[in-house]
Amino acid sequence: MAALLWIAAFLVAAVLYDILQKKHAVIRNFPIIGHFRYWLEAVGPELRQYIVTSNDEERPFSRDERRWIYSTAKRQNSYFGFGTDNHIDTASNYILIKHASFPASPPPEGDPPDYPLPCSKELGGYRGRKMRFVPPSIVNISALSFGSLSRNAVEALNRGAKLANCLQNTGEGGISDYHLLGGELVWQIGTGYFGCRDAAGQFDFERFRDKVAECPVRAVEIKLSQGAKPGLGGVLPAAKVTPEIARFRGVPAGRDCVSPNRHSAFSDADSLLDFVELLAAETGVPIGIKSAVGEIGFWEDLARLTERTGRSLDFVTIDGGEGGTGAAPLTFSDHVALPFRLGFPRVYREFAKRDLHRDIVFIGSARLGLPENALLAIAMGCDMVNVGREAMMAVGCIQAQRCHTGRCPTGVATQNKWLMRGLDPESKSVRAADYIIAMRKELTLLSRACGTDHPSMVSPDHIELMTDGFAAQPMRKMLGYDEDWGTHQGGGRGASGHG
């Protein structure tokens, strides 16, 4: 009886509070039950992806796509039965891979067990960098910073990179202890110069050189922009700037960590190339850039200066406007920067028409962690692809879309100790590696279905894209690529087979 009285008193108090409060009209008009509106809204993304949307409807990754990633990461059956449920005849820009009547023979199952798939160019070979090398995997882990991701997630990805023999991009948050567990690194340097900055936030060359010397840095990527928020810069909220993160970034703890929207070490294509050559000369490692694509003038200047002066980037990573590992304002996420399929060809054409595409390694990033998208990118001219959100899913992300709140339920994108404890780095590292290996396996099988021995030999002529009106356009025509370019003919200056 006492319990009932307590419940009744609580309900009366809740009703009175709801009626008297003026913040939420729905709750004021509908006491108690009005709260369900906000509770359902809070868990809407999680509910929709399971009980509302179809297999191919949820975005940014559909249920089918997530299922493929999860099943490969767990070494489960990744086959789908009863045919496709995609609307092939009405889907615009749908990828159609043209298989050969007499495919190349696949490698024996389990031989090799990890499907090694090295890049067919030597990174840094064109400019003769001291530390030039052939990347052992054409599928690598994209820029995911410690700070944006939890230490457990970063550790899982680094250990996974070692197991899969691929590269891990640090993201612009600097090199942490969790990046130093066996996986080899591409150190990304953003506008905040985290890990190589002075007290005023300017680039510190001595700190940069020392960090490269003491860490397993195979290449350095200068970040101009990312697909999620190009031209905006970034902010890691004060709540996420723990003493540990502050130490690795070289910033004060407990204060907003700001990345400006542009670099202070250079201001145009000419000074960028000077900066690149300086870093490469002092460290010997290959140096490249990452950027989303907007206005094309910068890329025209960059290609023209490379042709005229001989100064050159060792690699170019192109991110699409659909990229999304960073939280951003909705307008920037939805409307700023060209999508990958539009942006990458515009950049590639500027280098190809000057016969420079054989010298520079091109890397694609933006939802390329699915085999058909990766093969399309390679046919467009990419030598390697980076996977970001897909790698996050491999270590546990469920697309809850809570990355910006610090309350990621799976411990991937949070600094909350309780939430991140649910992510076991040791077991998740195996899943990350298995996903990367599965990607390489499917790319191998797809390229052999096209009659070639390596994905780098797949050309735009192997793929068509559906257009409106139940028609398909050859990809070379859609891209505006010349016949004599040959995106993957090999034999270029400093190249080892992928032109």
Side-chain angles (χ1 to χ4, degrees):
M1 186 65 179
L4 292 176
L5 289 174
W6 276 109
I7 293 172
F10 173 78
L11 292 175
V12 170
V15 168
L16 289 174
Y17 176 83
D18 288 349
I19 291 174
L20 294 175
Q21 64 83 35
K22 298 180 180 180
K23 187 176 181 180
H24 301 293
V26 171
I27 293 175
R28 195 175 191 190
N29 292 336
F30 303 95
I32 298 180
I33 63 172
H35 288 278
F36 284 93
R37 181 263 183 200
Y38 297 98
W39 295 336
L40 290 172
E41 180 183 51
V43 298
E46 291 91 336
L47 289 176
R48 283 195 299 272
Q49 65 181 321
Y50 297 118
I51 64 175
V52 178
T53 56
S54 68
N55 287 342
D56 198 45
E57 190 176 17
E58 183 78 7
R59 294 293 179 267
F61 292 88
S62 71
R63 187 183 305 159
D64 277 349
E65 291 168 339
R66 296 195 309 274
R67 178 187 154 194
W68 185 84
I69 294 169
Y70 296 146
S71 61
T72 56
K74 298 175 184 178
R75 294 193 184 184
Q76 296 175 349
N77 186 353
S78 61
Y79 281 31
F80 288 68
F82 213 64
T84 181
D85 58 4
N86 294 345
H87 298 290
I88 297 177
D89 53 345
T90 59
S92 182
N93 291 320
Y94 192 86
I95 299 172
L96 299 172
I97 300 168
K98 298 190 289 187
H99 68 283
S101 298
F102 301 98
S105 299
E109 186 67 31
D111 181 24
D114 60 351
Y115 280 82
L117 203 57
C119 180
S120 53
K121 279 182 184 169
E122 184 179 44
L123 189 59
Y126 170 45
R127 295 289 290 147
R129 309 299 188 200
K130 182 180 179 181
M131 305 299 289
R132 61 188 180 271
F133 70 106
V134 176
S137 174
I138 66 172
V139 181
N140 299 286
I141 298 171
S142 192
L144 298 165
S145 299
F146 174 48
S148 297
L149 264 59
S150 69
R151 60 174 179 259
N152 290 21
V154 173
E155 178 180 340
L157 291 172
N158 187 257
R159 292 183 184 277
K162 179 183 179 181
L163 293 172
N165 196 21
C166 71
L167 300 170
Q168 179 191 21
N169 191 305
T170 64
E172 66 174 317
I175 301 175
S176 71
D177 292 345
Y178 311 106
H179 289 105
L180 304 177
L181 299 166
E184 294 186 324
L185 304 175
V186 175
W187 183 15
Q188 187 184 86
I189 298 175
T191 55
Y193 305 118
F194 300 128
C196 56
R197 58 186 269 146
D198 60 20
Q202 303 299 299
F203 180 73
D204 187 319
F205 181 76
E206 297 300 324
R207 290 186 180 183
F208 165 78
R209 186 170 57 188
D210 292 344
K211 185 65 71 173
V212 170
E214 68 186 34
C215 297
V217 175
R218 301 303 307 272
V220 171
E221 180 179 84
I222 302 167
K223 174 187 168 185
L224 303 185
S225 62
Q226 62 174 306
K229 46 189 173 185
L232 184 64
V235 177
L236 188 67
K240 278 192 169 186
V241 186
T242 65
E244 184 179 44
I245 290 170
R247 175 166 59 90
F248 294 131
R249 294 195 176 204
V251 299
R255 290 167 53 182
D256 287 348
C257 180
V258 178
S259 299
N261 69 345
R262 59 180 294 163
H263 281 266
S264 58
F266 52 88
S267 58
D268 55 19
D270 193 30
S271 54
L272 166 62
L273 287 174
D274 283 342
F275 188 63
V276 166
E277 292 292 350
L278 171 66
L279 301 188
E282 291 294 328
T283 64
V285 302
I287 311 291
I289 63 171
K290 175 182 179 175
S291 182
V293 181
E295 54 89 15
I296 200 65
F298 163 75
W299 300 102
E300 293 172 343
D301 292 344
L302 194 59
R304 185 177 63 253
L305 286 167
T306 301
E307 179 184 36
R308 193 179 73 209
T309 68
R311 295 170 298 161
S312 178
L313 300 163
D314 296 301
F315 65 95
V316 173
T317 303
I318 296 297
D319 201 6
E322 66 272 41
T325 56
L330 183 63
T331 303
F332 277 81
S333 291
D334 287 353
H335 298 287
V336 181
L338 300 179
F340 179 81
R341 296 184 191 182
L342 200 59
F344 179 84
R346 293 189 185 184
V347 172
Y348 190 82
R349 286 195 297 263
E350 292 302 319
F351 290 89
K353 65 188 181 184
R354 295 174 173 85
D355 199 31
L356 297 169
H357 61 305
R358 307 177 193 279
D359 305 325
I360 296 170
V361 172
F362 288 92
I363 305 171
S365 173
R367 293 193 77 248
L368 302 182
L370 298 161
E372 69 277 8
N373 291 342
L375 191 72
L376 174 70
I378 293 168
M380 293 168 76
C382 287
D383 301 288
M384 299 190 289
V385 296
N386 287 344
V387 296
R389 286 171 291 181
E390 302 91 337
M392 291 168 63
M393 284 188 268
V395 299
C397 168
I398 60 171
Q399 195 172 278
Q401 297 177 303
R402 295 288 180 262
C403 312
H404 59 295
T405 67
R407 299 192 299 273
C408 169
T410 59
V412 175
T414 181
Q415 300 307 315
N416 182 290
K417 292 182 179 179
W418 174 260
L419 293 173
M420 74 171 74
R421 67 180 290 277
L423 195 161
D424 175 47
E426 186 173 348
S427 63
K428 298 298 186 182
S429 65
V430 176
R431 291 189 180 184
D434 285 339
Y435 159 70
I436 297 290
I437 292 168
M439 271 289 294
R440 295 197 299 240
K441 176 181 178 180
E442 292 244 353
L443 285 171
T444 298
L445 298 180
L446 282 172
S447 64
R448 289 176 178 267
C450 292
T452 66
D453 291 328
H454 191 279
S456 67
M457 301 171 70
V458 174
S459 77
D461 300 318
H462 287 102
I463 297 178
E464 294 192 13
L465 295 176
M466 288 290 297
T467 59
D468 294 333
F470 196 54
Q473 285 276 4
M475 199 174 76
R476 186 181 296 276
K477 179 179 179 181
M478 296 182 72
L479 298 176
Y481 285 8
D482 288 350
E483 290 284 345
D484 59 352
W485 285 354
T487 57
H488 305 290
Q489 291 179 347
R493 296 161 293 183
S496 61
H498 180 172

